[in-house]
Amino acid sequence: GASVKIAVVETLETKLRMPLIESVEKAVAEGMLDKIDGSYRFCHDQLQEAAYNMMKPDERCLFHFKYGIALLACNIESDNDDILFEATSQLNRGGPTAVEDAEQ
């Protein structure tokens, strides 16, 4: 399944002022996520898909865009390539839908 470095989650938690690590660690304890080699990852692709599909597509785009912007700002401060790559990935997943005017 998809993975994310723990440092990226910690950075997002700080930048967004949201308690992310606690929720992610709970998912690890419940067997939904693995914590391996400094990263979190879904134990199974179907778990990832189910979690992802709990959100409406336009909400997913907005969250990806929001996380990408937050990580990009962090990268400017820290010059961390892992964060830059994740920021780019999140912005790409957000795509134009995240910034389009709803009335268009």
Side-chain angles (χ1 to χ4, degrees):
S3 67
V4 63
K5 292 187 183 272
I6 294 170
V8 171
V9 178
E10 292 169 342
T11 299
L12 268 176
E13 181 177 66
T14 301
K15 193 67 174 175
L16 297 174
R17 296 184 182 116
M18 295 173 63
L20 301 174
I21 295 292
E22 182 179 329
S23 297
V24 173
E25 285 294 333
K26 184 176 180 182
V28 169
E30 292 177 1
M32 298 172 139
L33 297 175
D34 290 324
K35 189 175 180 180
I36 300 173
D37 297 329
S39 295
Y40 294 112
R41 71 175 180 90
F42 281 94
C43 295
H44 196 282
D45 290 340
Q46 288 181 341
L47 282 173
Q48 176 188 351
E49 186 177 336
Y52 199 69
N53 287 329
M54 290 177 70
M55 297 176 74
K56 295 177 184 174
D58 57 335
E59 290 174 343
R60 285 194 303 255
C61 289
L62 188 57
F63 273 93
H64 284 301
F65 189 77
K66 180 179 176 180
Y67 295 156
I69 292 294
L71 288 170
L72 190 57
C74 291
N75 185 70
I76 291 169
E77 297 167 6
S78 70
D79 196 33
N80 181 327
D81 287 344
D82 289 336
I83 292 175
L84 177 60
F85 289 130
E86 188 60 33
T88 303
S89 175
Q90 292 297 315
L91 290 170
N92 285 337
R93 289 179 190 166
T97 304
V99 293
E100 288 177 345
D101 185 351
E103 294 180 13
Q104 289 183 350

